[in-house]
Structures are given as structure tokens and as C-alpha cells.
Amino acid sequence: MGAEAMMMEALEKVEKEIKKPLLRSDKKNMGLLLAEFEKINKKLGIRKEDLPKIEEELELEIAKSELTELKKECVEAMEVQLKREEFKDEEMPDVKKLDIRNFL
């Protein structure tokens, strides 16, 4: 959406207005920044009530991408192990026949 760039521009605008870095403890100037954020949200069509839902969806998307990357790395590691000479004569176990209780 480009929201991050717009929010950084808003921060720079507020800091330029107050002629110093913005601190979280500065309630008055934080109000200015939040007003700028509200303008950006309105421009993008994002309502304040939708923000938790959007955040949750983003976290889910990030988690899915991390899982996909982890799966890719695991598959790569297993393929490397299969190519090693010491494992060539071993038979691959059938995953569906394995029972976790045998390993406990």
C-alpha cells in the first residue's frame, strides 16, 4: 500500500515542524503525529476498527511465509542427506506406518 513510506514522511513532517526529534513522552507532538496517521488511514480507506484485523492478517501472512521457508530448508537438508554415500543403502521408512509411541 505504501503506508509505511507515507507514515515515515508524516514523522519527518512533524519533526520538521517541531525542529527536534519526536519523543514518545511528548504527548502534544505525538498528537500531531497521530493526526497525520489518521489522515493517511483515511486516504487509504483504513478504519481504526479494522486495524487489529489487518494486523492479524499480516502476522498470519508472515508466519505462513516463515513456515514455507522452513519447509523448503528442511526438504533441502533431507535431499542432501539422501545423496550422502552412507545413507544410499538404507530404505526410506513409510511415514504413514510410523507410530510415535514406538519412540517414546
Side-chain angles (χ1 to χ4, degrees):
M1 286 187 185
E4 186 175 343
M6 294 169 86
M7 289 185 167
M8 289 302 293
E9 287 174 13
L11 175 63
E12 290 169 5
K13 178 181 171 185
V14 169
E15 286 181 339
K16 192 178 275 188
E17 282 178 21
I18 63 173
K19 296 181 174 74
K20 63 180 182 178
L22 181 63
L23 302 174
R24 286 183 183 245
S25 60
D26 186 357
K27 299 293 182 193
K28 177 185 163 202
N29 293 320
M30 281 299 289
L32 289 173
L33 181 64
L34 292 176
E36 290 291 323
F37 284 176
E38 287 299 320
K39 289 179 191 174
I40 292 169
N41 287 341
K42 188 178 259 185
K43 183 190 259 185
L44 295 172
I46 300 172
R47 296 182 318 194
K48 196 168 192 161
E49 306 86 50
D50 294 340
L51 287 176
K53 181 182 171 198
I54 292 171
E55 185 178 342
E56 186 178 314
E57 289 173 357
L58 182 61
E59 287 176 0
L60 182 62
E61 194 174 303
I62 291 170
K64 282 182 181 180
S65 67
E66 288 175 352
L67 281 174
T68 304
E69 186 64 31
L70 185 62
K71 180 181 176 184
K72 180 181 165 190
E73 289 174 9
C74 289
V75 167
E76 252 178 49
M78 291 187 321
E79 287 174 353
V80 167
Q81 289 293 339
L82 282 173
K83 292 177 183 175
R84 291 205 173 149
E85 198 64 41
E86 66 245 29
F87 297 113
K88 289 215 184 232
D89 59 343
E90 288 188 23
E91 184 179 318
M92 285 295 293
D94 183 14
V95 178
K96 293 179 181 173
K97 291 182 182 176
L98 290 176
D99 187 1
I100 191 68
R101 293 173 288 192
N102 295 335
F103 300 101
L104 296 178

